Amino acid sequence: MQMILNDSNESQLIAKADGYQNTEKPEQAQQTATESHDSHAAAAVPGDRSDIFLKLLGKLSDHDAFYFGAYKVTDLPKIYIDDGFDFYLNTEQAVASGKYRVEEHHGHSTIVKTSTGHKPAIDLSITNFVLFEWFAIFICAFIFKIVFNKYKKNPDKAPKGLQNAIEATILYIRDEIVRPNIPSRKVADSLLPYFMALFFFILTMNLMGLFPGAHTPTGAIAVTATLAITAFFVINITAMRVSGVGAWFHHLLGGAPWWLAFIMIPIEIIGLLVKPFALTIRLFANMTAGHVILLSLLGVLFFFNSVYLSPAITAFSLFIYALELLVAFIQAYLFTILTSIFVGLALGSHGDHEHAAETAH
Amino acid sequence: MDSTALAFLAAGIGAGITVFGAGMGIGRLASAALEATGRQPEATGDIRTTMIIAAALIEGVAMFAAVICLLLAIK
């Protein structure tokens, strides 16, 4: 069972399902040799497959090398900052240096310092998710470069194909998401590039996880938290820039009399922090939930160990896959529109006056 | 029952209650939005946008609960 679950590739999972009853090939046996014997004993007991779901869930977490599906393409550098800057090309090199060692528990390994037994203070290692995030950046840049060249070549022609799709999306973001929600036209247009980047970057990352073998960077809470922290700074710095720092601090009172400050200021500060927190959890949970459901459906096959279930599981998986496609677009849209609504709320009354003045003439 | 079994039980019951609440919320929201669209078909676009945002807020709360259930089940 360990052997089956060490591969995240679905076809391999299915191919090895026959080898479930301890009839594994020699090279696979070697793979499992590192695993403890008691897990094999547990796997031999029919009916005890309770940890199958947890093992599948581990496939969604980050890896320290570049995996495409179950195949390890290359090692990724490890970068630690803990009494000095350490750079290693791979885990073996880090272990060989003697400063770090690999500690195994609950089936997954972590790197700890040899001297203290703790994790390194700052771990800047390039991981699988980071690499897929970079791929998302390159895909975005590549697509926009193509569209940009087309505009340069035929500035007076009607757009078609990819150019048309991108133009329609950009216009939708500008006219339906950013401008209606941010009261001041000037502020809305100055923030437009940020919202464009946000939408296309999140959309690319969401859609990437639907390719077989690829991973979803937005399925990592660190990625969504970074996006939400960026949004937090955009929201508050815009508010400070437009209405002034004094007005921003005055806003913390929430319009209540000064003697209520000791209640209002904590509440308003929580209100400021809960917005990026909700953005983080919403994107992360939505992107992870779809994968968890897919893996649970696949887990059902192994749980019942029956081939007759496969048509039903395939149909359900396809349905969930289509749903995930929808969710990928909806979540990118929601992150963008909620950020723009929060910017609009943070601008408050000041933006309204400007808007009134603008619509007057 | 040991503590692990209780944690699994809590996660299962919690997920059920979460789905019940979120389903009620989104169901009421969708019924109100459909009614509004029926009364005023020309405002369909605005109603849809507002509905999706409200649905996202409800879903966000449901997701908080789902994450708590997941943590109960895997820790």
Side-chain angles (χ1 to χ4, degrees):
Chain A
M1 183 158 80
Q2 298 290 88
M3 159 205 74
I4 298 167
L5 296 165
N6 276 333
D7 295 317
S8 59
N9 188 298
E10 292 163 21
S11 62
Q12 288 209 352
L13 278 171
I14 291 158
K16 286 177 184 170
D18 297 332
Y20 191 81
Q21 306 290 351
N22 281 338
T23 54
E24 61 221 5
K25 290 171 197 153
E27 71 266 23
Q28 289 157 351
Q30 224 168 24
Q31 260 184 18
T32 51
T34 49
E35 307 284 346
S36 54
H37 280 285
D38 55 349
S39 66
H40 259 282
V45 177
D48 183 21
R49 295 161 192 169
S50 53
D51 61 341
I52 201 157
F53 178 68
L54 298 185
K55 288 284 161 51
L56 282 172
L57 211 59
K59 294 297 134 211
L60 289 176
S61 60
D62 214 347
H63 309 298
D64 59 350
F66 176 31
Y67 283 89
F68 195 85
Y71 303 103
K72 188 172 165 182
V73 180
T74 175
D75 280 316
L76 292 170
K78 317 291 285 179
I79 304 163
Y80 301 121
I81 300 176
D82 198 328
D83 0 301
F85 182 82
D86 294 309
F87 180 88
Y88 306 109
L89 282 178
N90 52 36
T91 314
E92 285 76 39
Q93 215 179 14
V95 173
S97 74
K99 202 169 171 187
Y100 298 98
R101 65 186 161 82
V102 175
E103 201 168 74
E104 301 249 355
H105 56 92
H106 301 305
H108 57 88
S109 53
T110 47
I111 288 204
V112 295
K113 283 189 79 181
T114 317
S115 50
T116 56
H118 295 301
K119 285 182 184 176
I122 299 173
D123 186 352
L124 291 177
S125 305
I126 311 298
T127 61
N128 214 12
F129 282 146
V130 177
L131 206 66
F132 275 97
E133 220 178 331
W134 288 348
F135 284 155
I137 296 172
F138 281 124
I139 292 169
C140 276
F142 183 67
I143 289 175
F144 277 90
K145 184 70 186 155
I146 292 174
V147 173
F148 173 73
N149 285 344
K150 271 190 182 166
Y151 273 110
K152 235 179 157 184
K153 222 161 65 184
N154 324 307
D156 301 325
K157 262 192 182 169
K160 62 174 203 271
L162 182 69
Q163 191 189 357
N164 202 359
I166 297 287
E167 183 176 319
T169 319
I170 285 178
L171 285 181
Y172 183 79
I173 295 170
R174 191 190 68 183
D175 295 337
E176 304 290 329
I177 297 182
V178 180
R179 280 188 180 168
N181 288 316
I182 299 179
S184 155
R185 172 65 63 87
K186 209 176 77 193
V187 177
D189 284 356
S190 75
L191 284 178
L192 206 52
Y194 167 70
F195 286 109
M196 299 282 181
L198 197 63
F199 180 80
F200 285 105
F201 187 45
I202 294 176
L203 181 65
T204 317
M205 286 198 289
N206 287 352
L207 288 178
M208 230 157 125
L210 297 177
F211 280 104
H215 293 251
T216 320
T218 37
I221 202 153
V223 176
T224 57
T226 312
L227 289 169
I229 289 168
T230 321
F232 174 78
F233 282 114
V234 167
I235 292 164
N236 289 302
I237 291 175
T238 311
M240 283 184 191
R241 210 186 59 194
V242 173
S243 49
V245 179
W248 185 82
F249 277 107
H250 188 75
H251 184 71
L252 284 182
L253 263 178
W258 63 267
W259 46 270
L260 276 178
F262 71 100
I263 304 175
M264 290 309 291
I265 289 178
I267 289 175
E268 289 286 328
I269 287 174
I270 291 170
L272 284 179
L273 295 179
V274 83
K275 288 168 187 165
F277 185 70
L279 285 176
T280 308
I281 298 291
R282 181 177 301 111
L283 185 57
F284 162 73
N286 269 290
M287 296 324 291
T288 313
H291 296 330
V292 171
I293 294 169
L294 271 180
L295 287 177
S296 311
L297 281 172
L298 289 175
V300 167
L301 271 183
F302 295 106
F303 194 81
F304 289 106
N305 210 9
S306 148
V307 76
Y308 303 107
L309 271 174
S310 54
I313 298 294
T314 313
F316 271 120
S317 303
L318 258 178
F319 169 70
I320 298 294
Y321 188 90
L323 201 68
E324 271 209 83
L325 198 64
L326 189 70
V327 166
F329 278 94
I330 290 180
Q331 290 308 317
Y333 167 75
L334 273 177
F335 201 102
T336 319
I337 198 168
L338 285 176
T339 311
S340 68
I341 287 173
F342 293 152
V343 171
L345 286 177
L347 291 185
S349 56
H350 185 87
D352 284 341
H353 290 311
E354 204 175 315
H355 183 59
E358 254 176 32
T359 46
H361 57 73
Chain B
M1 272 195 290
D2 62 343
S3 59
T4 320
L6 278 173
F8 274 115
L9 186 66
I13 294 174
I17 296 172
T18 307
V19 168
F20 180 74
M24 286 273 282
I26 293 182
R28 288 186 66 130
L29 174 68
S31 96
L34 283 175
E35 235 171 69
T37 313
R39 282 171 199 271
Q40 217 173 349
E42 65 273 11
T44 308
D46 288 344
I47 292 169
R48 190 188 296 127
T49 310
T50 324
M51 185 188 79
I52 288 177
I53 293 164
L57 295 175
I58 295 171
E59 191 202 54
V61 178
M63 284 294 177
F64 286 149
V67 167
I68 292 168
C69 297
L70 203 65
L71 288 177
L72 271 178
I74 67 177
K75 285 291 169 193

